[in-house]
Amino acid sequence: MSDPRSPAPSPPPAPPALAVWLLSRLLPDELREPFLGDLEESFHHELRRGRGPAAAGWWYWRETLRAPLTLSRAAGHPASSAPRGDGPMTSLLIDLHFAFRLLARRPAFTALVTLTLALGIGATTAIFSAVYPILFAPLPFPHPERLVMVWERDQKGTPDNFGFATYRDVVDANRSFDALAAMGHSEVTMTGRAEPERLEGQKVSSTFFRTLGVAPALGREFRATEDVPGAERVTILSHGLWRSRFGGDSSLVGRQIALDGIPYTVIGVMPASFENVLDPKAQLWTPLRYDLLLAWACRTCRHLRVVGRLKAGVSVTDAERELGVLSRRIVADHPKEYEGVGMLVPTLHEQVTGGVKPALLAVLGAVALVLLIACANVTNLLLARAAQREGEFSVRAALGAGHVRVIRQLLTESLVLAAIGGVLGIGVAWLGVQALVALSPPGLPRIGAIGVNGPVLVFAVLITTTVGLAFGVAPALHATRGDLYHGLMRTSRRLTGSRRVTRASLVVSEVALAMVLLVGSGLLLRSMTRLFAVSPGFDPSHLLTMEVVTGGPRFTSDTATHAYFQRVLEAAGAVPGVETAALTSQLPLTNDYDAYGVHSEARPRANTEQDPSAHRYAVSGRYLETMRIPVLRGRGLTDRDRGDGLAVLLINQAFARREWPGTDPIGQRVRLGDATQGPWRTIVGIVGDVKQVSLSADQPNAIYVPEEQWPWADFEMSLVVRTRGDPAALVPALRRAVWSVDRDQPIVRVSTMERLVTGSAAERRFTLVLFESFAAVALIMAAAGIYGVLAGTVVERRPEIGVRAALGATRANILMLVVRQGLGLTTIGIVLGLAGAAAMARIATSLLFGISPVDLFTYVGVTVLLVVVALAACWIPAWRAARLDPMATLRTD
């Protein structure tokens, strides 16, 4: 009798409950009970053998995952054939288990396929991550489809900015908009740190944030009473500035900060999610504070941009029609102040993305070609692998596996490969996104929205699934076409004729697609070479530039501002290593823009708005000498051209040719800006043309005036210094020299002129780098495709090659046999690629400069390159074929 005080024996450990439940869901009804009973008995046997509960539980889980395969074998079927009566989940597990096991047995093959797919999927996903937010995603505002830009339209249909008086007329008279807002760019200086900080911002009307449909995260918006002259000075900060400068202090709202030495009250902070597509660099906003009495609020003072929100149900066409009627009425009331009639109303999305759309679509097309080449390469590899498995497929068919079953298994294998490639591709995409952001041109819109996010991951999954099905279909269909008897008797080395044709066709397509990419890359490269061969009109070597800014109560008078810049010029000129120094109100090949109407005394027009305009350069006396801009006729400006002397100016050669054809403009008098006010200025010289906007644009009209003779002092000037040695080495010394005059004035945009010249073509360079990268990948993949097909062909034709050698064919004959086959495929691909490249180049003409879309040099060069690479890809298989021993070959076959 047992001792009642002894504890009751503990029950034996039970199998893992989750595994038992999983098996009960997966197994067919007729197999569930016997299999679970056998598995549980085996589990307890493992315990009796001395395994601990954890080890026995792990064993039970392993057997659970192997259950479908175990049942399949017990039923007498091949591993990939599902037993009769099993469910879809069981069949899927069998297919997946067999696919993973098969791929694990061929690690080199699996690695090659997945890396190829990772490169194609990753590159495509990375480009999509940039294209989606810029071209396809809605702007991050409520009802973004109702946001539009509003422009005046000149006689040529070109968009133009608004004057404040015109803006007020439109606000008061329109019936199409819920809200309209005017805006202009601004820059202010914030002091208080070791170095003064220059901040970019916007001056906006009080309706700006209401028009966009956003509100500050802290504080409030501007009020109408704050948007008038003399009102309290207030500002709203960006979230980034609030965090970086003020540490995210929420008590900042309501306090004052100093901007240009003037106190401003902070009334709000924008949310971190606010994306200002209208001026991405803006860090703060202040009210416009205009009224119609201000001199710069006139109708011809067109320096404001206007954004509007349409009323619900009002289309862009309706708004443009109403504004056209309103514009004609305004022009009729003020005929001398308008050149054109009508207004333009593009959507805000079109306005933001229009400039980069052609380049992004070209890049998206290029990466799609890379993905197609990757799919063709993988399909070729799978076709070769399927040829080696033909005997296996015949055995399956003999044991009762139908065509659908074999196709499903092969598609499962393809999807597994695609899934592995897709996972690796997301990593490639993440790296690609970092590179895209680093290489992107400064003007690329919505750059902050570029990233591997939800929509991009969904795209990656879709493209991975599509690619997996695409490259798996051809091998799966070929695997089910064979004859059972011949499949069992055929050796694994030989391909059917249809499969050989398919593989050859894929190689041809790879070569053709690579040809398209190479031609596109070559045209862009030649275009960039031509672009940088264009003279900017000055000598950028040994030139350093930095922008010096004034601000605050000390510079309220023009005399103080001129005196400050004169001392800066003297201090910079005294730095050792400086050859000459000068000041200018704007720099060539930058975003500086300051144009004025030029009204000729000798050739007056009835409507002064039709008089030409010109870029205005207010410069110091040695500016032309420092930049090495030639004086073609007359004289240049000197230090004697001061504010109290004769009002003079220079014009560039393009302006002289357009406005004074066949006559001598030297000695002519013109008035700048207002045709009825201001001094008459005498043209004393003609200088060479300078590329102001970009190297690819025509030379605009340009005028050069002495800085002291302009009606008001510019509060920011660019210091241009020509050095005897490396200009970048003088940056610290020049900073110290400028700050020795006034430590509180900021220095921004420090750069060499050579870098500015190169940066002016940043968008073209960005496109070129991407095209070159894709073209290099395409070339390598095409070479790999040629090599793979020829290497497989040599293996398949070993008996034939042995017979040829036995009958007297020399190694050279056999070598040429293989090379001829590879070059034949390459030639067909090149011909097809040339046609595709010509069509592509004509579409992308806007990206080219100075060359034709069918540039002969590019096409011939790319053709020669492809032929050379194809010869290199052919050589190793041909060399192996030529070295085959005919006796050994015939004996084994």
Side-chain angles (χ1 to χ4, degrees), residues 152-156 160-163 166 298-303 330-341 593 595-600 603-614 659 671-676 701:
E152 288 192 39
R153 184 181 64 189
D154 63 17
Q155 290 181 337
K156 300 178 181 178
D160 197 1
N161 290 335
F162 265 67
T166 309
C298 64
R299 298 181 181 277
T300 58
C301 304
R302 296 182 175 90
H303 58 274
I330 295 173
V331 172
D333 293 339
H334 309 276
K336 294 185 177 181
E337 295 170 298
Y338 294 92
E339 180 182 354
V341 176
Y593 181 84
Y596 288 84
V598 181
H599 313 284
S600 173
R603 304 176 59 190
R605 289 181 172 89
N607 183 358
T608 57
E609 284 298 302
Q610 296 179 355
D611 284 336
S613 63
E659 293 302 315
R671 183 174 275 158
L672 305 180
D674 193 327
T676 61
N701 298 336

Side-chain angles (χ1 to χ4, degrees), residues 470-540:
F471 70 71
V473 167
L477 294 178
H478 276 287
T480 59
R481 290 179 183 173
D483 176 77
L484 177 60
Y485 173 76
H486 288 91
L488 291 170
M489 299 301 294
R490 184 181 295 127
T491 66
S492 65
R493 294 175 181 173
R494 300 179 183 178
L495 289 179
T496 62
S498 61
R499 189 178 286 119
R500 187 178 294 120
V501 170
T502 302
R503 293 191 65 191
S505 301
L506 289 170
V507 170
V508 168
S509 66
E510 288 184 55
V511 173
L513 294 173
M515 184 74 183
V516 172
L517 282 174
L518 286 168
V519 168
S521 180
L523 288 173
L524 287 174
L525 181 60
R526 291 261 292 157
S527 180
M528 287 291 290
T529 303
R530 292 285 182 90
L531 185 66
F532 285 120
V534 173
S535 171
F538 57 89
D539 181 7

Side-chain angles (χ1 to χ4, degrees), residues 627-647:
M627 295 288 287
R628 295 183 180 170
I629 300 173
V631 177
L632 304 179
R633 295 184 59 190
R635 69 172 179 88
L637 301 179
T638 69
D639 292 334
R640 294 189 299 274
D641 295 314
R642 311 190 72 84
D644 54 356
L646 175 68

